[in-house]
Amino acid sequence: MEHPEPTVSVVVPTIPANDHDAVVDCLREQTAAAYEVLVVDDATLDICEARNTGILGARGDVVALTDDDCRPPRDWLAHVEAAFDRDPDLVCLEGAVHGGRTYDGERRYVGCNLAFDREAAIAVGGFRPAFAGWRDDTEFGWRMERDADGRCAYRDDVRMHHPEPPRATLDEALEARLRREYPDRYEAVLVPDTLRGRVNDWLWRKGVWNLVDRVRYDLPNAVGLDR
């Protein structure tokens, strides 16, 4: 989807095995006026390489990311544009996610609803393929916090619908690497500071919540109910 002078460039990484028609249909219905959409559809690229390819090809000053299994509300890009217009120091913006995944702004920088200044992202090195598939978006956000010349923020009105549970699963080696490389941020953001939080974190790491999600989302299909 092209525009002669896009304010925002949307990048959607995907592979030929995945269907991206639905997310593109949602992007066609955006209320924002000046935007373009780049779908990077290449099975030879990992998700970080695909995102970086889109960033380099983008012509907008702001790049907004989402995934092929997401459904952007019609006002998604309008809220992204408004956030950057209001705050000239903003370099990275994370938003809310609801549906099969829920997120409400905890400095984890979920890649299905993330927007940033294009030049700042290029200056910090883009997404690192070393983390592809696990915490690559979190690692990028923390690098933007640390290295970019500007401010990172969360806005609840920048919302994304993620119908299905996430496809990614815990990679213990990459989790350990993230902790080694960003010990302070890891402790502040990812290590729970309450008993309930620690229990939930332990259950997640043991795969219990993933099993609960599979039951939650597979059962309606099995009995023929809408989600």
Side-chain angles (χ1 to χ4, degrees), residues 151-171:
R151 193 172 72 86
C152 300
Y154 166 83
R155 288 197 61 89
D156 188 65
D157 60 355
V158 179
R159 300 184 66 79
M160 179 61 59
H161 184 54
H162 195 304
E164 304 289 337
R167 292 186 291 238
T169 56
L170 173 65
D171 185 314

Side-chain angles (χ1 to χ4, degrees), residues 83-84 86-87 89-96 103-110 113-116 141 144-145 150-158:
F84 281 89
R86 281 192 298 265
D87 186 353
D89 294 325
L90 184 62
V91 292
C92 189
L93 174 69
E94 55 173 352
Y103 181 73
D104 57 5
E106 299 147 354
R107 293 176 58 208
R108 301 187 186 198
Y109 298 98
V110 176
N113 190 11
L114 192 62
F116 44 82
M144 290 288 279
E145 287 182 354
R151 193 172 72 86
C152 300
Y154 166 83
R155 288 197 61 89
D156 188 65
D157 60 355
V158 179

Side-chain angles (χ1 to χ4, degrees), residues 138-156:
T138 303
E139 193 277 335
F140 169 80
W142 289 356
R143 222 169 343 109
M144 290 288 279
E145 287 182 354
R146 185 189 66 191
D147 299 338
D149 184 16
R151 193 172 72 86
C152 300
Y154 166 83
R155 288 197 61 89
D156 188 65

Side-chain angles (χ1 to χ4, degrees), residues 38-119:
L38 296 86
V39 176
V40 184
D41 187 2
D42 189 339
T44 69
L45 303 178
D46 65 42
I47 190 168
C48 294
E49 294 168 334
R51 286 169 173 164
N52 290 340
T53 297
I55 292 168
L56 292 174
R59 293 182 299 125
D61 291 334
V62 174
V63 174
L65 294 183
T66 192
D67 292 334
D68 57 21
D69 55 352
C70 290
R71 306 293 179 263
R74 294 184 71 244
D75 59 358
W76 177 56
L77 286 181
H79 285 296
V80 169
E81 287 185 5
F84 281 89
D85 286 344
R86 281 192 298 265
D87 186 353
D89 294 325
L90 184 62
V91 292
C92 189
L93 174 69
E94 55 173 352
V97 181
H98 61 94
R101 177 170 192 170
T102 301
Y103 181 73
D104 57 5
E106 299 147 354
R107 293 176 58 208
R108 301 187 186 198
Y109 298 98
V110 176
C112 70
N113 190 11
L114 192 62
F116 44 82
D117 179 273
R118 177 179 178 273
E119 294 301 325

Side-chain angles (χ1 to χ4, degrees), residues 16 29 37 65 83 88 94 116 126 145 177 180 186 188-189 197 206 210 220:
E29 300 299 320
V37 177
L65 294 183
E94 55 173 352
F116 44 82
E145 287 182 354
R177 178 172 182 172
R180 287 195 306 271
Y186 192 98
V189 176
K206 295 299 182 181
N210 287 338

